[in-house]
Amino acid sequence: MKILQLNKYFYQKGGAETVFFNTISTLENRGHQVIPFALKNKKNKFSEYESYFVDYPELSESNIWTKITNIPSFIYNRQAAKQLERLILDKKPDIAHIHLLFNSLSVSILPVLQKYRIPTVMTVHDYRLICPAYTLTNGKGKICELCKDRHFIHCTLNRCSNGNLTNSMLLSLENSFRSCFYEPLNYIDKFIFVSKFAQKKHIEFNPEYASKAVQLYNFTPDIPTRINKKINHRYLLYFGRLSNEKGINSLLEAIRDIPEIDLKIIGRGPLSKEIGNNYPKNVSFLGFKEGQELKEYVKNALFTIVPSEWYENNPLSIIESLSLGTPVIVNAQLQSSCKGATIGVLTVDYTGSCTTEEYALQAANAWGIGSSTGNNGVLILLVMETQQYADGDYYIATGDGFRNTTLESQASALAQTMEDDFVRQDYDDAVTTCARNVAQTIADIYGVSLSGGNTNNGSYNEPAYDDNSSGGGFGDILLGFAIIHRLDVKRFGLNATSR
């Protein structure tokens, strides 16, 4: 089959490009012919189809005159439509798969695909279909869903594009134009959502997505069967895009108050220069890394951390971390507000001769979850099969710092909140519900407030995140990431035996 893969960039820029290139490799390995279509750029990888690529500048790196002269193409790129039509006539693809297209390839390509009756699917990597600024945050970094009424002028009035009025006006204009004349719902056959949360959120904004929505998690193609971890130096790791919605500044503020913790930052983005010139002594800024070098940093980290302050969309940083056997901290607010308290999540196929409780306690001790002085870590363990329970089991292990607290006394009840989802094998929702409840319980113990949520006489309710809350909330970051990963128990020094 000839498969057209369309994306704004043809070089490694962010998570969407990782998915884009992983998809190409997977399809080619299965015998399909993949035909890429993207913008021309000196950073691009080699492609025999480069002559069809679109000559369009990277506006974020351009001067003001270039930005002004390219406003029409920003909204509707006629050259992109012309080049795509030429490619279709020459190569005759069977199906098209779109990744990122707005502000570059633009909606101009949609009528071309429809004209030649090419079935089209689109992977939804962010919220650009429903939010002009793509993050569902306003200019102050607060969660914002005002454009649910489809009046995209909200983006301009609230300067949702990082507080920049001009950029916000352009985004409002593009989204309004698209909504009136080239609504993607009228051109795209299926939308692939990479998390259940994102799928539900799009349907909230426009119920028409329900009939065209499918859900498929992001993936990493290479999962080793055995990992040799060398944790000679205990450090936390952030790797990914350096931008406001990713919570980098909040992470740096938190880490200043915990000097005994070393943090390494890998990535690039709008905040690269700011971070590179101003970070605490216990932080190392390593710039952009990729390939095996990046994998080594991830594999040997004590934890990776995802401090996002928006509705995170099943980020690859979580998937890649877990595939390399590295646990993930998904809430910097909890750690900074509650004296280093940390929630870890571990999923395993089996526990060997260990009981679920024994395995959880040994894993928690081996990882050293939580503050080394406060011993205030929590491990949520999900097991797919045990000697006692063929259909799996789960357990919450708490550090000694929570002895004689409501968390210790209610750990069993908190774990039980996973039961219904666990029985349905909906492990991501099981973890999300439990982790939210644990986080709220810890916050209550320390007398601090997270982004909503409450406990009520032992009955645990998921936090409700309102439009004015700060950040995306604890649970939203977790949605869609639960990966059933076979751990090599020996590398953690656990007393489990293999089947």
Side-chain angles (χ1 to χ4, degrees):
M1 181 180 289
K2 293 182 179 180
I3 303 174
L4 188 61
Q5 286 283 331
L6 305 94
N7 189 58
K8 179 177 181 179
Y9 303 106
F10 200 67
Y11 63 92
Q12 188 60 55
K13 183 176 175 66
E17 284 67 50
T18 300
V19 174
F20 173 64
F21 287 118
N22 284 348
T23 302
I24 289 176
S25 297
T26 300
L27 291 172
E28 289 179 336
N29 290 338
R30 294 177 182 271
H32 298 289
Q33 180 183 348
V34 177
I35 304 168
F37 184 71
L39 301 183
K40 291 182 178 179
N41 193 295
K42 62 183 180 180
K43 301 176 186 176
N44 278 358
K45 297 184 178 183
F46 170 78
S47 173
E48 62 181 290
Y49 303 99
E50 185 177 357
S51 62
Y52 297 100
F53 286 8
V54 182
D55 191 4
Y56 185 77
E58 178 59 73
L59 294 186
S60 63
E61 301 172 359
S62 303
N63 58 44
I64 186 64
W65 177 246
T66 300
K67 291 181 180 179
I68 292 173
T69 56
N70 280 280
I71 287 177
S73 295
F74 179 89
I75 297 171
Y76 188 91
N77 194 327
R78 295 182 183 276
Q79 188 199 16
K82 181 179 179 180
Q83 289 292 88
L84 179 59
E85 184 165 28
R86 187 166 71 90
L87 175 61
I88 290 172
L89 290 173
D90 288 350
K91 304 302 178 182
K92 297 179 174 54
D94 299 302
I95 191 170
H97 182 181
I98 298 171
H99 294 265
L100 303 182
L101 81 156
F102 302 121
N103 307 350
S104 52
L105 301 177
S106 82
V107 292
S108 68
I109 66 173
L110 299 181
V112 178
L113 294 167
Q114 190 178 74
K115 175 182 176 181
Y116 291 97
R117 299 181 179 180
I118 298 176
T120 302
V121 300
M122 178 179 184
T123 293
V124 183
H125 293 281
D126 52 34
Y127 300 95
R128 188 59 195 279
L129 288 166
I130 56 177
C131 169
Y134 87 84
T135 60
L136 287 176
T137 59
N138 61 23
K140 295 181 180 179
K142 307 292 185 181
I143 292 296
C144 172
E145 298 184 5
L146 292 176
C147 286
K148 191 176 287 186
D149 64 7
R150 300 183 67 78
H151 295 147
F152 302 111
I153 190 65
H154 293 303
C155 179
T156 299
L157 297 177
N158 291 282
R159 302 191 179 198
C160 294
S161 182
N162 296 316
N164 187 296
L165 178 60
T166 302
N167 289 349
S168 299
M169 290 175 62
L170 281 174
L171 293 173
S172 291
L173 181 60
E174 188 277 333
N175 218 314
S176 298
F177 173 84
R178 183 204 324 156
S179 178
C180 291
F181 301 106
Y182 296 98
E183 171 57 57
L185 276 162
N186 298 330
Y187 293 91
I188 295 173
D189 298 290
K190 288 291 181 181
F191 294 89
I192 301 172
F193 292 94
V194 300
S195 75
K196 291 183 179 179
F197 178 84
Q199 179 178 333
K200 292 175 182 177
K201 186 60 64 177
H202 280 74
I203 294 172
E204 281 180 25
F205 273 66
N206 190 336
E208 291 183 30
Y209 280 108
S211 63
K212 291 191 171 186
V214 295
Q215 194 265 317
L216 180 67
Y217 294 147
N218 284 331
F219 69 98
T220 181
D222 301 315
I223 299 180
T225 57
R226 180 179 291 271
I227 304 168
N228 295 316
K229 293 177 75 71
K230 299 177 181 178
I231 306 180
N232 298 321
H233 174 56
R234 297 164 69 88
Y235 62 88
L236 302 182
L237 175 68
Y238 171 87
F239 67 106
R241 180 172 168 79
L242 306 182
S243 53
N244 287 319
E245 75 276 6
K246 294 295 186 178
I248 302 299
N249 287 325
S250 296
L251 174 60
L252 291 176
E253 289 178 12
I255 214 71
R256 288 181 195 274
D257 297 330
I258 317 175
E260 69 271 18
I261 294 179
D262 290 330
L263 170 69
K264 297 183 186 296
I265 295 178
I266 293 176
R268 61 187 174 192
L271 298 181
S272 293
K273 184 177 293 186
E274 177 182 336
I275 294 172
N277 294 330
N278 181 29
Y279 52 87
K281 293 181 179 179
N282 55 331
V283 175
S284 302
F285 179 52
L286 305 177
F288 178 75
K289 306 288 182 184
E290 60 182 336
Q292 189 59 38
E293 184 180 15
L294 174 60
K295 287 183 179 181
E296 288 299 314
Y297 278 108
V298 176
K299 184 180 70 173
N300 294 318
L302 188 61
F303 296 93
T304 59
I305 186 164
V306 180
S308 292
E309 296 175 348
W310 68 309
Y311 292 143
E312 190 61 85
N313 194 21
N314 188 19
L316 278 169
S317 57
I318 289 179
I319 294 173
E320 291 170 344
S321 294
L322 295 181
S323 73
L324 292 169
T326 301
V328 184
I329 296 173
V330 293
N331 189 263
Q333 181 189 6
L334 181 74
Q335 190 178 44
S336 61
S337 302
C338 301
K339 299 182 180 179
T342 304
I343 300 172
V345 178
L346 172 63
T347 62
V348 296
D349 286 345
Y350 64 99
T351 60
S353 61
C354 287
T355 65
T356 306
E357 179 181 356
E358 289 170 344
Y359 193 95
L361 293 173
Q362 290 182 52
N365 290 332
W367 272 338
I369 298 174
S371 166
S372 58
T373 55
N375 198 4
N376 53 357
V378 177
L379 178 70
I380 302 172
L381 173 67
L382 282 76
V383 187
M384 299 304 102
E385 180 181 345
T386 71
Q387 290 186 351
Q388 186 176 5
Y389 301 105
D391 56 350
D393 197 12
Y394 46 78
Y395 188 83
I396 294 178
T398 61
D400 288 343
F402 290 118
R403 187 169 294 171
N404 299 321
T405 67
T406 54
L407 181 60
E408 182 185 49
S409 63
Q410 296 295 331
S412 178
L414 287 165
Q416 196 64 30
T417 62
M418 292 189 281
E419 175 64 19
D420 291 343
D421 290 323
F422 192 89
V423 170
R424 291 193 298 268
Q425 297 184 356
D426 194 350
Y427 304 115
D428 56 339
D429 280 359
V431 169
T432 298
T433 301
C434 184
R436 281 176 170 169
N437 294 331
V438 171
Q440 188 60 53
T441 304
I442 293 173
D444 290 344
I445 291 171
Y446 284 94
V448 301
S449 175
L450 299 180
S451 300
N454 59 79
T455 59
N456 181 18
N457 298 325
S459 176
Y460 296 89
N461 302 312
E462 293 186 58
Y465 302 105
D466 59 58
D467 290 346
N468 296 316
S469 65
S470 175
F474 178 85
D476 300 312
I477 299 171
L478 278 167
L479 284 162
F481 88 92
I483 296 174
I484 309 310
H485 177 64
R486 181 185 297 276
L487 288 172
D488 175 11
V489 295
K490 291 182 180 179
R491 76 175 187 275
F492 289 118
L494 305 184
N495 297 320
T497 58
S498 301
R499 289 183 296 185

